Amino acid sequence: MISLAAFDMAGTTVNDGGSVYRALENAVTETGVAVTPENLQTWMGVEKREAITALIELGGGVATPEKVAATFDRFRVLLDEYYTAEPPTAVEGVPEAIGQLQAAGIKVALTTGFSRDVAESILAGLGWTVSADADAPTGSGGVRVDALSCGDDVAAGRPAPFMIHRAMEATGVTNVADVLVAGDTAVDVRSGVNSGAAISIGVLSGKLEREGFAGEQPTAILDSVAAIPGYLGL
C-alpha cells in the first residue's frame, strides 16, 4: 500500500511555462559558453548549482566556485523576472489529484532542485501550503502538501535519493516499499529508482517525450500526476 507520493515541482505539479529552462540556459550562456538542448535536458531536475557547474564545463568553460555562485545568482534573478512576467500555475488536474490521494490516506510531498527560498516563493504564489497537519488551512490555491524537500536541504540532489528520503523522514514513512515517486525528467525517475521506491513514474507534463524515459526503467509513464489516482485504483 502506498503511503507517500513524492512529486517533483516544475513541469510535474507546477506549470512554469518553461521558465526554469530559459533561466538556466540564459544564465549559463551569459558566462560565454554554449548550452545544447540535449545537455540542458540532461541536467534539468538536478540541484541548480550542480547543473550550472556541469553545463559550464560541458560548454568548455571553467566552473570556478566564484563563477558558479555568480551564475546561480543570475539564474535566480532571471527566474524571478520570468515568473513575474508569467506566474506559475498548477498543472491541470494536479490539485484535485493531490486531494484524492490525501483523502485515501496517502501523504503528498514535493521535491525540487530549487533552493528552499525559491520553492517556498513559488508555492506562496500558487497559494499552496506545506503542513503535516491535515487540518491546516489549504490557502487560496486550495492545496496543502505534507512536506517539501529541496535541493539545499540535502547533501546531494538528484539523481541521489536523499530528497525522497528526507520527504519520508518529514512524513514519518519508514519503508521505501510504501513510496511512489513521479517527475517529468529522467533524473526524477532515476532518483526514485535509486531511493528504492516501490513505484517511480515518468510524467509527460514537462518537456521530455516518452522515449526520453526509456533508459531509466520507470514503473510507468503517464500523461500527468493527475492520472496517478486512477493508476492506483482510487
Side-chain angles (χ1 to χ4, degrees), residues 3-213:
S3 56
L4 171 65
F7 299 144
D8 173 53
M9 285 183 59
T12 301
T13 52
V14 179
N15 177 12
D16 76 337
S19 293
V20 176
Y21 281 80
R22 288 192 292 131
L24 188 58
E25 178 180 13
N26 291 342
V28 174
T29 299
E30 287 179 9
T31 70
V33 304
V35 178
T36 68
E38 294 78 15
N39 287 340
L40 185 62
Q41 180 61 68
T42 296
W43 287 92
M44 282 304 297
V46 175
E47 193 278 324
K48 295 304 176 279
R49 293 178 187 82
E50 183 180 353
I52 286 166
T53 300
L55 289 171
I56 290 174
E57 292 175 347
L58 286 166
V62 178
T64 63
E66 295 77 15
K67 182 180 288 186
V68 170
T71 306
F72 177 70
D73 288 343
R74 179 59 176 156
F75 160 77
R76 290 179 51 165
V77 168
L78 290 172
L79 188 64
D80 183 63
E81 291 177 1
Y82 299 159
Y83 278 174
T84 299
E86 187 178 355
T89 59
V91 170
E92 185 176 359
V94 166
E96 294 81 1
I98 290 174
Q100 284 181 270
L101 293 168
Q102 291 172 327
I106 298 172
K107 296 178 181 179
V108 176
L110 299 179
T111 64
T112 178
F114 291 131
S115 56
R116 178 163 287 272
D117 59 336
V118 173
E120 289 180 342
S121 176
I122 293 169
L123 296 180
L126 291 170
W128 291 16
T129 59
V130 180
S131 176
D133 180 1
D135 296 322
T138 58
S140 61
V143 173
R144 176 193 61 83
V145 296
D146 296 277
L148 171 65
S149 181
C150 303
D152 57 352
D153 292 336
V154 293
R158 302 179 184 120
F162 305 138
M163 283 196 292
I164 297 166
H165 293 159
R166 179 62 63 89
M168 291 174 62
E169 179 182 9
T171 55
V173 174
T174 59
N175 191 342
V176 290
D178 298 332
V179 178
L180 177 150
V181 175
D184 68 303
T185 68
V187 293
D188 291 330
V189 172
R190 197 179 314 152
S191 179
V193 172
N194 288 343
S195 75
I199 300 173
S200 189
I201 293 174
V203 294
L204 302 176
S205 51
K207 291 186 175 294
L208 194 63
E209 301 291 338
R210 181 176 295 270
E211 55 270 20
F213 291 106

